[in-house]
Amino acid sequence: MSQSDVSSDRERVLECTDCLDPADAFALIGNETRLSILEALWAAEDRPVAFSELRREIGMRDSAQFNYHLQKLAGQFVVQTDAGYDFKHAGEKVVRSVIAGSFNEHPTIDPFPVAGSCVACDGPLEARYRDEQLAIACPDCGHGHGEYGFPPGGLNDRTREEVADAFDQRVRHLHCLAADGVCPECSGRVESHIAEDGACCLGATVRVDHECVQCGYTLCSAPGLRLLDHSRVVSFHRERGVSLDERPYWTLPWCVSDEYTAVVEHDPIRLRVRLPLAGDELRATLNEDLAVLETTIESLE
């Protein structure tokens, strides 16, 4: 197959044959009855759900009117099968957003203390929540240890400690996906590049900027976050009595401080992240794609 044939095939695969303008998509679900249909599908014990059962669940007597609203959702948000109706991914996404509170909840909570100490001044750390963003920061010197989106639903039925743990897991997940080139929001392609022109929310001057080419989602990170699940890094810590799964990312200096990350080459770019622990130091060299090229262990004694 020629290169032109390959390009032609790629274009055919990516071509959208039944796309809906975003404004039209929002108009479709901006209706109480249609949202009720999606919520009824979500609440159903088994799916697909029959037409009559859906209509009964939302309490609409007029079958024709119910069918009108249901057909507005069909194709983009729900799919019809021989056994009834079920979600398409977009329909599930809408309901999950409602459950998460992104559309209808705007809670605030007072700052609360979290584990660890500030990498800049060794002061205490606290979590602050505002406008669906949770931030870890030092109240004494103001140094940031990360600020990322956290849906309001994540606060429900959790203690402050559990909220902090959920935030830690969420941040790890977001950065893992972005570094692997997958958008956490739309699963589109994410492009990443190394920047040295200012501090991000993690206090890192040398940072990684991630941006989705499809939906525009952006995320910045310290290069060290990429190493949290790397096998050599995990074993290095485990051999010295530390389980990285049990340590919030903000308590690991190489995840939130410039001191442990340096650009050692520019063409092509190479990063070195130092991870000191128990008298030894693991040194990881990463390329511009955040792939680990090599690791070495040096004694600090």
Side-chain angles (χ1 to χ4, degrees):
M1 181 181 294
S2 69
Q3 184 63 40
S4 61
D5 290 335
V6 172
S7 298
S8 178
D9 283 347
R10 184 179 296 114
E11 290 171 1
R12 285 196 291 269
V13 169
L14 297 179
E15 181 182 4
C16 183
T17 59
D18 190 24
C19 289
L20 191 65
D21 183 83
D24 293 335
F26 281 114
L28 282 179
I29 59 174
N31 176 280
E32 185 176 352
T33 298
R34 293 168 201 165
L35 278 177
S36 295
I37 292 172
L38 294 176
E39 290 173 343
L41 271 176
W42 180 268
E45 292 185 2
D46 298 298
R47 292 195 294 266
V49 182
F51 178 94
S52 58
E53 184 178 345
L54 268 180
R55 183 164 63 90
R56 183 171 60 253
E57 285 298 319
I58 70 167
M60 181 172 284
R61 294 183 178 182
D62 189 328
S63 178
Q65 185 181 10
F66 176 77
N67 185 61
Y68 167 79
H69 288 294
L70 184 58
Q71 293 310 311
K72 286 291 185 180
L73 295 172
Q76 297 294 332
F77 298 100
V78 302
V79 60
Q80 182 177 5
T81 70
D82 292 340
Y85 293 86
D86 202 347
F87 280 119
K88 295 193 75 170
H89 176 72
E92 270 194 326
K93 189 77 172 178
V94 169
V95 178
R96 289 182 187 277
S97 295
V98 172
I99 292 172
S102 297
F103 290 163
N104 57 350
E105 294 182 17
H106 304 282
T108 58
I109 58 175
D110 292 332
F112 59 91
V114 294
S117 58
C118 177
V119 295
C121 74
D122 204 35
L125 295 176
E126 66 179 18
R128 306 167 181 171
Y129 190 78
R130 182 179 180 182
D131 296 333
E132 300 188 17
Q133 296 280 119
L134 197 151
I136 306 296
C138 173
D140 290 347
C141 72
H143 185 83
H145 293 61
E147 180 176 356
Y148 297 101
F150 192 73
L155 305 177
N156 294 337
D157 299 321
R158 283 194 171 114
T159 64
R160 299 295 190 259
E161 182 179 345
E162 289 170 339
V163 167
D165 180 64
F167 177 68
D168 175 48
Q169 296 302 320
R170 177 175 171 81
V171 171
R172 291 169 183 251
H173 174 70
L174 292 177
H175 286 92
C176 183
L177 280 174
D180 285 337
V182 179
C183 176
E185 285 294 321
C186 74
S187 297
R189 185 186 302 278
V190 168
E191 293 182 350
S192 305
H193 70 276
I194 308 299
E196 303 175 71
D197 56 358
C200 72
C201 65
L202 284 163
T205 302
V206 178
R207 70 179 191 275
V208 185
D209 288 340
H210 308 282
E211 182 172 3
C212 176
V213 300
Q214 180 166 275
C215 74
Y217 175 87
T218 60
L219 187 72
C220 73
S221 70
L225 281 170
R226 179 56 166 163
L227 300 173
L228 283 169
D229 61 354
H230 189 272
S231 60
R232 190 67 189 91
V233 173
V234 171
S235 62
F236 173 77
H237 284 78
R238 184 175 58 245
E239 290 163 3
R240 290 157 182 80
V242 175
S243 172
L244 287 181
D245 288 340
E246 299 173 0
R247 291 283 302 271
Y249 79 81
W250 59 83
T251 67
L252 302 166
W254 41 274
C255 284
V256 293
S257 172
D258 265 346
E259 179 182 352
Y260 301 93
T261 301
V263 176
V264 294
E265 293 182 33
H266 281 91
D267 190 18
I269 197 163
R270 294 288 184 266
L271 302 175
R272 180 162 298 146
V273 182
R274 299 183 295 108
L275 296 76
L277 182 65
D280 295 319
E281 185 174 84
L282 176 67
R283 298 174 184 175
T285 303
L286 291 71
N287 66 11
E288 59 185 348
D289 296 322
L290 301 185
V292 177
L293 302 178
E294 67 173 354
T295 60
T296 60
I297 297 177
E298 303 290 338
S299 174
L300 298 178
E301 298 177 348

